[in-house]
Amino acid sequence: MGRIITFGSSKGGVGKTTLAYSMAEFLKRKGEAVCALDADPNKNLSGWLAQSQLVEGRVVQADDLVQVANAMAESHSFVLIDVPGANSTALINAIDISSLVLIPTKADLKDVVEAFRTFQHVVNAITKARRFSPRAHIPAAAVLSQVDRRATVDQAARQQLTSLGVPTMKADLGLKASINHASFAQKPAPYAAMSDDIEAIGVEALALLETFRG
Ligand SMILES: Nc1ncnc2c1ncn2[C@@H]1O[C@H](COP(=O)(O)OP(=O)(O)OP(=O)(O)O)[C@@H](O)[C@H]1O
Ligand SMILES: [Mg+2]
């Protein structure tokens, strides 16, 4: 059975789709069978995947997400889910069936607060799952995104996340002009521009999955 990874936040514009696309490329480069489900009506991820043909991408309605993701996990080692940037049914359904939830957040208090709200959905999902399986767990971590290496505000964001009890990845995704340019041209993020950051995030994500494999 493949692992399902959700890239979710109830906040818009935090880097969910960029991270989902980049992780698809990271896993594909490792030889994994990856498919991506786009549960955002804006269809950014599926648009990028249609252009690049990187991995199979499908647009999915929120109500169909659980069934489709489970079916795709039968034939793929990883199913990646991108959701809208809102507190939505898609977000909650995706978290319920995830093996891992990554919560991108910019170093901005509004984003951090929404990362906390999103993490509460993970806590709720674990509580639901434990009614049937007492050791059930869904690992989750905030991932700082669009980090300006010249500023120190990411440290403040990390402290805030810690004080809110939200686990946070050590690795983060730096702010890259080329990602912004690509997005403006409706093109996917160029892997070469961020491969070091994505590989560090990918390694940490795989370690989280291994820790909680069960
Ligand atoms: N590391 C980065 N460096 C520079 N720009 C970035 C980076 N990550 C994301 N962006 C830009 O920030 C914007 C939002 O990114 P993205 O679409 O990935 O966020 P999102 O959370 O999926 O947004 P939405 O909630 O609208 O779906 C885009 O213009 C994207 O190109
Ligand atoms: Mg998006």
Side-chain angles (χ1 to χ4, degrees), residues 191-203:
Y191 193 79
M194 54 179 174
S195 56
D196 288 354
D197 289 352
I198 290 300
E199 276 156 30
I201 292 169
V203 166

Side-chain angles (χ1 to χ4, degrees), residues 12-18 40 85 145-146 173-176 179-180 183:
V14 289
K16 296 178 293 296
T17 307
T18 301
D40 183 349
S145 169
Q146 304 176 50
L173 182 54
L175 181 73
K176 314 274 181 191
I179 298 179
N180 230 196
S183 177

Side-chain angles (χ1 to χ4, degrees), residues 142-210:
V143 184
L144 280 163
S145 169
Q146 304 176 50
V147 171
D148 183 346
R149 307 257 186 249
R150 295 164 305 179
T152 52
V153 68
D154 59 310
Q155 288 309 321
R158 282 181 182 280
Q159 279 167 14
Q160 194 69 47
L161 286 160
T162 302
S163 69
L164 290 167
V166 182
T168 307
M169 272 196 177
K170 285 198 190 69
D172 58 23
L173 182 54
L175 181 73
K176 314 274 181 191
S178 57
I179 298 179
N180 230 196
H181 282 293
S183 177
F184 188 77
Q186 295 187 302
K187 291 200 162 71
Y191 193 79
M194 54 179 174
S195 56
D196 288 354
D197 289 352
I198 290 300
E199 276 156 30
I201 292 169
V203 166
E204 219 174 317
L206 292 178
L208 274 171
L209 277 169
E210 278 311 308

